[in-house]
Amino acid sequence: MIKRLLLVALVIFALFAGYRVWQESRVGAGPVDVAVAPEGPTREIAFVSNAVGGTVSLVDIEARAVIGELDIVPDGRRVSIFRDFTQGLAGQRLIERGGGLNYAQDTDLSPDGRTLYVARGHLGDVAAFDLASGNLRWRTRVAGVRADHMAIAPDGSRLYVSGTISDRLDVLDARTGARLARLRTGVWPHDVHATPDNHRILSASLGDMQEEDETARGAAADGDDPWPYQLTVYDAATLERVSRYRFPRGIRPFQLSPDESLLYAQLSNEHAIVTYDFARRAIVERIDLPVADGVSEEDWDFEAPHHGLVITPDGATLCAAGRASDYAALVAAEGLELLATVPVGNAPSWSAIGADGAICILANNRSDDVSLVDVEARAEVARLQVGRAPKHITVGRVPESVLRGVR
């Protein structure tokens, strides 16, 4: 009798589990349309990822106002074992124990301004949202237990997503979320960019942050082993690795010069910006930026005293987020000359810029606001309250017809 009851219980559980897995697999409204340009009148919007709040705030740059907020965890803040067994069983809990809550690590906007893609940090996935309705269209698990930074192809067809702890870069179909490829990277990939001509993908790695110093390992690595501090370059058409470059420390946010001959980067545990020359395969310039009195390692997280770097469209000026000392650093790209430090909110952790290069927007992680800095005037012109723990900013143009549905 007991065996029969156990068998019945197992059958019921199997049926329930199967139903729940089926339920989870059907979350989302389905594929999105991929178009290369917006239709009708548009407005320039900064999408601010609120990592702890689980939302994305929409900031109208010209109006200097928050015009709406998108819930990016409508499917829940905890991953169940039926949705993803590994992430639900232990993955999310383990990564949150070391890094806190993070539901919104990065965003990208479709070229037509209608779909927002979100790398959902410790949920370990990327999700697509229809901006007009706020509906979740699809979600896709990525490599490892943490979805990190990502980039969208200029034509809007693909997403390139760093799976930090897995040493992999996932290539996703932006329309359906299907995984097209999984590329090998350096140790713990972080920031990633697609070049404007859609010819190359660049992935930068941090090295294993659980190790105190991987410099020796980086020097000794050979063959095809991933280097701890590695910039990897892929051919966007074939997805083959075409080159890689060694750095002395973990590579944080980076930018390319307009002619793509130089790379500007922030490095782990440094209050600095460096210029890397691809032809010479070497760092050729460096600027050490000011450190406020009394600042120590307690004033920054994740080995990143500076985290956030953007370049004006003309390639003349860098705007860097000085996380530990609470400023925006405006630096001339040529010669890395400091032009100004502009006081902003608490712990600026990302920077982005409008299409005309006039306004640099910074996400102040600990004061829950964003700062708008006038690049020419070298002054903060607005500070706007957003959601809890803003972490990343994407700027793009959105049709006014779409914005009418935003709340």
Side-chain angles (χ1 to χ4, degrees), residues 18 28 33 97 138 254 285 396:
D33 293 328
R97 188 176 299 170
W138 56 255
F254 69 90
E285 290 178 323

Side-chain angles (χ1 to χ4, degrees), residues 62-329:
E62 184 179 3
R64 299 179 185 174
V66 178
I67 62 169
E69 188 174 79
L70 178 69
D71 175 13
I72 56 93
V73 284
D75 50 339
R77 293 170 181 252
R78 309 301 306 178
V79 178
S80 74
I81 59 172
F82 304 110
R83 176 166 153 188
D84 183 282
F85 185 79
T86 303
Q87 193 78 354
L89 186 66
Q92 185 177 1
R93 291 175 178 82
L94 287 173
I95 200 72
E96 285 179 350
R97 188 176 299 170
L101 298 177
N102 181 359
Y103 302 111
Q105 171 72 16
D106 199 310
T107 55
D108 272 306
L109 182 68
S110 62
D112 64 2
R114 295 181 175 276
T115 303
L116 187 71
Y117 303 97
V118 185
R120 299 197 296 180
H122 299 166
L123 298 184
D125 65 11
V126 173
F129 293 89
D130 178 83
L131 276 176
S133 65
N135 290 339
L136 173 65
R137 299 303 301 263
W138 56 255
R139 67 183 185 200
T140 298
R141 179 85 162 83
V142 298
V145 294
R146 184 178 191 269
D148 204 272
H149 291 302
M150 65 180 180
I152 191 168
D155 62 3
S157 63
R158 293 175 174 176
L159 294 165
Y160 306 107
V161 190
S162 295
T164 298
I165 299 174
S166 67
D167 303 347
R168 295 293 185 271
L169 184 73
D170 276 0
V171 182
L172 306 183
D173 183 323
R175 192 179 73 87
T176 64
R179 192 177 80 219
L180 304 175
R182 180 163 284 173
L183 310 180
R184 195 177 189 191
T185 64
V187 178
W188 285 34
H190 188 51
D191 202 9
V192 57
H193 289 255
T195 56
D197 61 10
N198 210 16
H199 288 171
R200 296 189 299 164
I201 310 154
L202 293 87
S203 167
S205 71
L206 299 174
D208 187 342
M209 289 173 59
Q210 299 172 103
E211 301 292 334
E212 285 193 15
D213 186 1
E214 290 199 288
T215 305
R217 176 183 166 189
D222 56 16
D224 200 43
D225 292 338
W227 300 335
Y229 314 132
Q230 172 178 313
L231 180 80
T232 315
V233 181
Y234 309 90
D235 183 295
T238 65
L239 299 180
E240 295 293 325
R241 189 182 80 190
V242 295
S243 190
R244 60 176 176 165
Y245 303 85
R246 198 190 302 271
F247 277 67
R249 285 184 177 270
I251 309 165
R252 295 293 169 165
F254 69 90
Q255 294 290 333
L256 296 174
S257 61
D259 66 0
E260 300 176 12
S261 65
L262 302 174
L263 177 144
Y264 307 99
Q266 296 164 316
L267 303 178
S268 293
N269 288 318
E270 294 195 358
H271 305 256
I273 300 172
V274 299
T275 302
Y276 189 94
D277 187 307
F278 286 110
R280 295 166 63 179
R281 301 185 72 91
I283 291 173
V284 294
E285 290 178 323
R286 172 190 175 97
I287 181 171
D288 291 293
L289 294 167
V291 182
D293 291 342
V295 166
S296 70
E297 290 190 14
E298 298 299 317
D299 294 290
W300 67 83
D301 302 314
F302 311 118
E303 302 181 2
H306 277 238
H307 196 279
L309 188 67
V310 69
I311 191 167
T312 52
D314 62 5
T317 306
L318 297 161
C319 179
R323 181 185 179 100
S325 299
D326 302 333
Y327 62 65

Side-chain angles (χ1 to χ4, degrees), residues 13-50:
F13 176 77
L15 289 172
F16 170 76
Y19 173 71
R20 287 289 291 112
V21 170
W22 176 82
Q23 257 190 332
E24 293 285 3
S25 71
R26 294 179 63 83
V27 168
V32 301
D33 293 328
V34 176
V36 296
E39 294 182 355
T42 63
R43 288 153 71 185
E44 190 172 50
I45 302 297
F47 295 88
V48 183
S49 304
N50 302 308

Side-chain angles (χ1 to χ4, degrees), residues 61 64 342-344 358-360 370-375 377-384:
I61 296 175
R64 299 179 185 174
V342 180
V344 293
I359 299 292
C360 179
V370 294
S371 292
L372 277 63
V373 171
D374 186 306
V375 174
R378 303 175 187 176
E380 183 186 48
V381 293
R383 191 177 298 182
L384 307 172

